[in-house]
Amino acid sequence: MLKKLVAATLAAGMTLGAATAAHAEGQIRIAEQFGIVYLLLDVAKDQKLIEKQGKAQGLDIKVDYVTLSGGAAVNDALLSGSIDVAGAGVGPLLTLWDRTRGRQNVRGIASLGNFPYYLVSNNPNVKTIADFTDKDRIAVPAVGVSVQSRVLQLASAKLWGDAQYNKLDKISVAVPHPEATAAIIKGGTEITGHFGNPPFQEQSLAGNPNARIVLKSYDVLGGPASATVLYGTEKFREQNPKTYKAFVDALAEAAQLIRGNPELAADIFIRTNKSNVDRKLLLSIIKNPEVQFKLAPENTYALAEFMHRVGTIKNKPASVKDYFFDDAHLAGGS
């Protein structure tokens, strides 16, 4: 079902891409995924902030959104020209930055904020990642590609050494967060682990008394980290400076709104996602001191260095400035 959904969504996006491949200023096509980590985009969409910022520059901007699952699908859409801005994890960004150097030159546009990601298991025998066996299955958005999968690889390398960094890939399966969450809460399926993101991880913990946190991304990455980011091609940034600026300004305005009015932000998330998530739970995530809504990336380089060290990317970035655009709103990124 997932493959059919992604294929249909991409087909629709590619048709759009073919029709507008050479579009001028005034259009932006954005891919997002599931979870509150995309709240900046939800707020921008609901409040029409990109359109608002465009009008401030005398430009009418048409904004299109598409929802995909997994960094691999998002990267395919960006490379095919179906979208202009990709929303996915740092892992998929680094993969595409490495593959497109000297060609499309894909780089990061902004972080979507700092969020702790949890690997949750409902198997009572699993207390650390060392306890998973061949009978377990760990759900991730995209095996070996998503940021969850990359963080799990980094944790594995720290435990078993770089030579076995992908040891848990063989028991990992690609499942969208909503379905993986339902499996953890229900129990009794082959999926006994889910490396998710908010609010899905919190729903799992609240919905199944046997569910527990096995691994935290902040512990693996060395502190608060920007796991999910937005990225695009150099061509789009250079050929659409007003649209690009309107997009970035809209993200900054969305971040300010969320920080200043978390209650409104929670209502926007529920409305735009047609979500049945408990509002109190949602507010607790938005107000969590470990969650920060900001555009500059933080603690992403550890993953970049690791991916180069184990050979999953060929080029080693000297710093975050290599795989993010040199923009003022990214100053101080790490």
Side-chain angles (χ1 to χ4, degrees):
M1 290 178 65
L2 171 60
K3 289 181 178 178
K4 290 180 180 179
L5 173 63
V6 171
T9 307
L10 281 175
M14 289 176 184
T15 300
L16 175 64
T20 60
H23 72 267
E25 284 269 35
Q27 180 172 332
I28 186 168
R29 301 159 300 171
I30 305 164
E32 57 184 336
Q33 298 186 60
F34 302 102
I36 200 172
V37 295
Y38 293 92
L39 186 57
L40 288 184
L41 292 180
D42 292 335
V43 170
K45 181 195 305 182
D46 183 81
Q47 300 291 301
K48 297 189 180 301
L49 299 182
I50 301 173
E51 295 89 337
K52 172 188 171 182
Q53 293 294 340
K55 288 184 183 298
Q57 300 183 74
L59 183 67
D60 288 325
I61 300 179
K62 182 178 184 295
V63 186
D64 292 306
Y65 294 90
V66 60
T67 301
L68 301 175
S69 180
V74 172
N75 281 356
D76 287 344
L78 185 63
L79 289 179
S80 73
S82 303
I83 59 172
D84 304 305
V85 175
V90 174
L93 162 62
L94 289 164
T95 298
L96 216 53
W97 165 79
D98 184 59
R99 287 174 54 189
T100 63
R101 285 192 70 186
R103 296 186 295 277
Q104 298 99 324
N105 291 324
V106 170
R107 294 170 75 185
I109 296 172
S111 162
L112 284 169
N114 292 348
F115 296 86
Y117 283 15
Y118 303 150
L119 171 55
V120 174
S121 177
N122 61 8
N123 182 343
N125 296 320
V126 175
K127 296 178 174 58
T128 74
I129 62 171
D131 298 324
F132 283 110
T133 71
D134 289 342
K135 295 181 180 180
D136 293 293
R137 292 295 179 269
I138 302 171
V140 294
V143 179
V145 178
S146 64
V147 68
Q148 287 89 346
S149 191
R150 294 300 189 193
V151 171
L152 185 56
Q153 289 176 348
L154 177 54
S156 298
K158 289 182 176 182
L159 181 61
W160 294 299
D162 284 356
Q164 297 192 70
Y165 79 92
N166 58 353
K167 178 176 180 177
L168 296 178
D169 283 6
K170 65 182 180 181
I171 63 168
S172 297
V173 290
V175 182
H177 291 314
E179 285 84 345
T181 301
I184 293 296
I185 292 174
K186 180 182 178 181
T189 75
E190 67 171 3
I191 296 175
T192 57
H194 175 211
F195 209 156
N197 65 17
F200 302 107
Q201 57 199 24
E202 286 81 6
Q203 286 179 299
S204 294
L205 294 168
N208 187 335
N210 292 322
R212 67 177 60 79
I213 298 173
V214 175
L215 188 73
K216 295 182 178 181
S217 62
Y218 281 9
D219 292 340
V220 179
L221 297 171
S226 308
T228 307
V229 296
L230 299 167
Y231 49 98
T233 63
E234 184 179 64
K235 180 179 179 181
F236 177 76
R237 176 175 175 268
E238 291 183 348
Q239 292 188 355
N240 303 274
K242 289 185 178 180
T243 303
Y244 184 89
K245 182 179 186 302
F247 178 58
V248 170
D249 289 348
L251 293 174
E253 186 175 356
Q256 185 176 17
L257 182 151
I258 296 167
R259 292 192 298 265
N261 195 340
E263 288 79 9
L264 174 58
D267 292 337
I268 289 173
F269 177 84
I270 293 170
R271 181 167 61 244
T272 58
N273 291 277
K274 298 180 176 59
S275 174
N276 61 359
V277 63
D278 180 75
R279 189 175 184 274
K280 184 177 179 181
L281 178 68
L282 195 61
L283 273 172
S284 71
I285 297 169
I286 297 174
K287 294 180 178 181
N288 183 349
E290 289 191 316
V291 172
Q292 297 173 303
F293 294 95
K294 61 178 187 176
L295 305 192
E298 186 173 354
N299 265 333
T300 64
Y301 188 73
L303 203 59
E305 190 278 332
F306 161 73
M307 288 175 63
H308 175 263
R309 192 175 73 239
V310 298
T312 58
I313 58 174
K314 296 179 180 178
N315 300 286
K316 181 179 181 180
S319 73
V320 68
K321 293 181 179 179
D322 280 353
Y323 52 90
F324 272 85
F325 288 118
D326 186 17
D327 294 334
H329 66 277
L330 301 176
S334 61

